[in-house]
Amino acid sequence: MKKEISKSHSLKRRLLIALITCLLTVMIICTALFEAVYRRTTDTVDDHFGKLTDIAYDEVTDTLCADDLECMRGILNCYCREMSYEMNQGFGGVTEDDISTYLATRAGSYFDDIYITKDIFFVIDNDGITAVDLFDGRHGTDADTVVKNAFETFEKTECDDLDGLSFEEYLLSNKDLADARYTKEGDGYIIVWKNMSEFSGHSQCVGLLSNACVHWKGQMKSASDMEIGELHDNMDLLFRKYTIVMLSAVGGVLVLFIIIAAVLSKKLSDPVVSEHDMLVEINEMKTTFLSDASHELKTPLAAMSGYAQNAEYDLENGSTDAVKEKLKRISSEANRMALMVTQILDATRIEEGRLVLDPSPCDLDALVRETVETYFVVLNKNNNRLALRIPLDLPKVQADSARMQRVFVNLISNSLKHTHNGTILIRAEEEGSEIKVTVKDTGCGISEEDLPHIWERYYKGKHSETGTGLGLFICRFIVESHGGKIWVESEVGKGTSFMLTLPVSPGQTV
């Protein structure tokens, strides 16, 4: 007996030694991997931080240059307008021969009043380009030198667009057309030019040239170097600190992993677990739906609250017209919310088998027009147009008008939501013993990834952030319950067409 116990203790000791050896091995491997990751990370930071800085510099430069360009366009436009007015009124006795001199002379005082620095004003005529340094308001070689350097830079960076011309030749040949450009080469330049013929009878081209537009590049480089040094110090401290924590935790993690693996292996063999997982998945799906539905209902509620507060304020100030407008908006948002609530109730009735149809002969044209008149203004938030193509002699369909109105509301709502400044076409045509209805839009279309799943309950699409995911599920159930069918054709970027068929009412001419 003692011999058997001794063998048992020996086996336990060997198992314990094996376990400790495994833990130590894992800890050593993890430490080596951790150190390798640390070294690789620092090398990656060194390699890519400079690239990220360059990318950030390019993005900032493009944004600032574009803003400066638009600002210079506006300033030059005001200058052209004012100078044209002066010349049209005969101020200064300007003749055709000395327009360029007059514009160059007036530029100094005009632009000095609006505080432009480091800019060059120039006049383009058949004799060439006359430049004025707006920083001190005098003609001189400094301005000409800046213009020359700028033109050489533009020639290097935009040689493909110049068709073999020098930049000065390009300006002279395009002086009748307003344009603007910028380059980040060297110190950076922004140039805009405009012909004054828009404001007067004088065809004279003037422009502005700004230099040293990217002077912040050196500052960004210095800041980048400082940030890299500080990042290295923080990373070193963090990695060293957490190496100790990792070594202490890895043993506990392995033990916990072994325990969890044993428990899970036991539970996975139990069929109750599979049912439990299914219930958890259903619960998560309902939780997501409730969250989305709450968000969708909260949006019109927030809008209604805001309009109500504004209406109260307008009412106190006696602005009845403004109050009427706010009340219309409140009514619109209330109708929107009512549509969502009805959609949720319809889905619940379908789920419980309580959605009962009451089909009868139905005038499709009247049904569609009633739906459009009731809901199009409520749902149309994207400035879309509506076109109806329903023949007046179309036979009646055998359908539940209230339920079919839900179908058309959902289809029109989808089209309006995914179409901006486009057209929604509703077309109906007779095909044998059925009526085919098409709701076509010119929106963004449905991706191939989403297309197979759009009829599923709660599915909203990978790139959709609004909606409850119930509309098309309800549409399909109602149409198929009428004995019809519904399908979709879509092309990304060109639009979507939903088609459905309904049976012609008995006794109608086919």
Side-chain angles (χ1 to χ4, degrees), residues 253-378:
V253 170
L254 286 174
V255 173
L256 183 61
F257 176 79
I258 293 172
I259 296 174
I260 293 175
V263 173
L264 287 178
S265 63
K266 181 180 179 180
K267 285 192 173 182
L268 288 175
S269 60
D270 191 345
V272 177
V273 175
S274 299
E275 183 179 352
H276 175 266
D277 292 341
M278 184 175 62
L279 292 174
V280 169
E281 183 178 355
I282 294 174
N283 185 60
E284 289 177 353
M285 186 169 60
K286 288 187 175 180
T287 301
T288 302
F289 165 73
L290 289 174
S291 176
D292 292 340
S294 299
H295 175 75
E296 290 295 317
L297 292 172
K298 185 179 180 181
T299 301
L301 281 174
M304 292 167 64
S305 176
Y307 289 139
Q309 293 176 8
N310 291 337
E312 183 180 2
Y313 175 81
D314 293 334
L315 190 62
E316 292 176 355
N317 289 274
S319 180
T320 56
D321 291 338
V323 172
K324 290 179 180 179
E325 180 62 26
K326 299 298 187 306
L327 291 176
K328 288 180 181 179
R329 293 179 180 273
I330 291 173
S331 177
S332 176
E333 295 297 330
N335 288 336
R336 247 181 87 203
M337 189 165 62
L339 284 176
M340 284 186 282
V341 172
T342 302
Q343 196 176 69
I344 295 172
L345 291 175
D346 284 344
T348 302
R349 293 187 184 102
I350 292 173
E351 201 172 46
E352 296 176 353
R354 296 188 294 108
L355 189 66
V356 180
L357 301 181
D358 184 20
S360 60
C362 178
D363 187 348
L364 188 62
D365 178 69
L367 175 61
V368 172
R369 292 185 182 276
E370 180 182 354
T371 304
V372 168
E373 291 173 1
T374 305
Y375 297 103
F376 186 80
V377 177
V378 176

Side-chain angles (χ1 to χ4, degrees), residues 478-492:
I478 292 176
V479 171
E480 291 180 350
S481 297
H482 280 85
K485 60 181 180 179
I486 184 170
W487 68 99
V488 62
E489 296 175 0
S490 183
E491 186 173 353
V492 176

Side-chain angles (χ1 to χ4, degrees), residues 6 42 202 277 308 389 396 407 438-439:
S6 177
T42 54
H202 303 286
D277 292 341
R389 300 289 185 271
K396 293 184 178 182
V407 172
T438 302
V439 180

Side-chain angles (χ1 to χ4, degrees), residues 153-291:
T153 304
F154 278 111
E155 288 170 8
K156 293 177 183 178
T157 58
E158 300 192 29
C159 57
D160 293 337
D161 297 330
L162 301 182
D163 295 329
L165 300 174
S166 68
F167 196 77
E168 181 173 349
E169 292 171 340
Y170 174 81
L171 282 181
L172 291 172
S173 62
N174 291 275
K175 63 182 181 180
D176 294 332
L177 301 175
D179 202 354
R181 296 179 181 234
Y182 71 87
T183 179
K184 296 177 285 185
E185 288 292 319
D187 292 334
Y189 297 94
I190 300 175
I191 186 170
V192 297
W193 66 91
K194 183 178 183 64
N195 197 298
M196 297 178 62
S197 59
E198 179 181 344
F199 306 103
S200 68
H202 303 286
S203 179
Q204 189 67 47
C205 186
V206 296
L208 288 175
L209 173 68
S210 180
N211 67 315
C213 301
V214 293
H215 57 277
W216 56 82
K217 185 173 183 179
Q219 299 173 0
M220 289 186 68
K221 291 294 185 183
S222 299
S224 174
D225 293 339
M226 292 179 61
E227 287 294 328
I228 290 177
E230 185 176 349
L231 181 60
H232 279 178
D233 294 340
N234 291 336
M235 287 177 59
D236 185 78
L237 178 62
L238 184 65
F239 274 75
R240 300 299 178 185
K241 177 181 177 181
Y242 277 72
T243 298
I244 300 174
V245 176
M246 184 272 297
L247 293 175
S248 303
V250 66
V253 170
L254 286 174
V255 173
L256 183 61
F257 176 79
I258 293 172
I259 296 174
I260 293 175
V263 173
L264 287 178
S265 63
K266 181 180 179 180
K267 285 192 173 182
L268 288 175
S269 60
D270 191 345
V272 177
V273 175
S274 299
E275 183 179 352
H276 175 266
D277 292 341
M278 184 175 62
L279 292 174
V280 169
E281 183 178 355
I282 294 174
N283 185 60
E284 289 177 353
M285 186 169 60
K286 288 187 175 180
T287 301
T288 302
F289 165 73
L290 289 174
S291 176

Side-chain angles (χ1 to χ4, degrees), residues 391-458:
L392 295 177
D393 57 348
L394 197 69
K396 293 184 178 182
V397 295
Q398 189 72 8
D400 185 330
S401 59
R403 302 303 182 192
M404 286 308 304
Q405 190 176 67
R406 296 284 170 244
V407 172
F408 291 122
V409 169
N410 284 327
L411 295 180
I412 295 172
S413 173
N414 274 351
S415 296
L416 292 172
K417 183 167 61 175
H418 296 97
T419 305
H420 297 263
N421 299 310
T423 301
I424 313 301
L425 171 65
I426 303 177
R427 181 176 64 243
E429 53 192 344
E430 184 179 356
E431 289 187 353
S433 60
E434 295 179 324
I435 301 297
K436 177 184 176 183
V437 183
T438 302
V439 180
K440 181 179 181 180
D441 63 61
T442 57
C444 59
I446 304 172
S447 67
E448 293 183 1
E449 181 183 7
D450 291 331
L451 205 56
H453 306 286
I454 61 172
W455 308 106
E456 297 174 6
R457 181 176 48 183
Y458 306 126

